[in-house]
Amino acid sequence: QVRLMESGGGSVQPGESLRLSCEVSGGISSGRCMGWFRRVPGKEREAVAAFVTGGASIYYGAGVQGRFTLSGNGIYLQMRDLTPEDTGMYYCAYDSRKAPSFAGIDCRHDTMYSYWGRGTQVTVSS
């Protein structure tokens, strides 16, 4: 049984940075989809970053490209130049089934994930 727990959220001002962490227990396998998602007020849950475990291809959502970076095999999500539009609940997710390909973009759909953390809140305001 895979368990995920996010941490690192908080309240910051525009332009500041945060690093989110995803603690994984239960073991994950190579070749599976893993990602970070967020639900911002008034919008559906969207992919922030997604990748295939053990692979090199990372998908970043259009709104975060150039500002958000995955590291530590996807465990860490470094967020910089935060704006109020980044406010929301952030989740890490993992799917135990074999990924459709080794392209991170194919892991961007939230409906394909079977394990989710409870989320960590990020609030950006002045």
Side-chain angles (χ1 to χ4, degrees):
Q1 181 78 4
V2 174
R3 288 186 174 83
L4 309 170
M5 185 168 67
E6 305 87 345
S7 62
S11 295
V12 297
Q13 294 187 341
E16 293 185 339
S17 301
L18 280 174
R19 190 178 80 159
L20 305 184
S21 299
C22 179
E23 181 179 341
V24 181
S25 60
I28 59 175
S29 301
S30 179
R32 272 53 176 176
C33 283
M34 190 165 180
W36 284 89
F37 293 79
R38 69 183 181 186
R39 190 187 299 277
V40 301
K43 295 185 178 180
E44 295 186 356
R45 188 165 55 190
E46 63 177 348
V48 174
F51 63 101
V52 177
T53 54
S57 168
I58 301 174
Y59 165 84
Y60 290 101
V64 307
Q65 285 181 3
R67 299 187 299 121
F68 290 14
T69 305
L70 283 180
S71 64
N73 294 321
I75 298 302
Y76 304 109
L77 178 67
Q78 180 68 47
M79 309 185 296
R80 62 179 181 84
D81 295 330
L82 288 162
T83 74
E85 289 69 36
D86 295 315
T87 294
M89 187 70 79
Y90 285 70
Y91 304 87
C92 65
Y94 171 77
D95 185 51
S96 57
R97 295 164 293 185
K98 187 177 179 181
S101 75
F102 274 100
I105 193 171
D106 289 334
C107 294
R108 70 189 187 279
H109 303 292
D110 64 341
T111 54
M112 67 194 301
Y113 286 83
S114 48
Y115 295 98
W116 291 86
R118 292 186 175 184
T120 185
Q121 176 69 34
V122 172
T123 302
V124 185
S125 69
S126 55

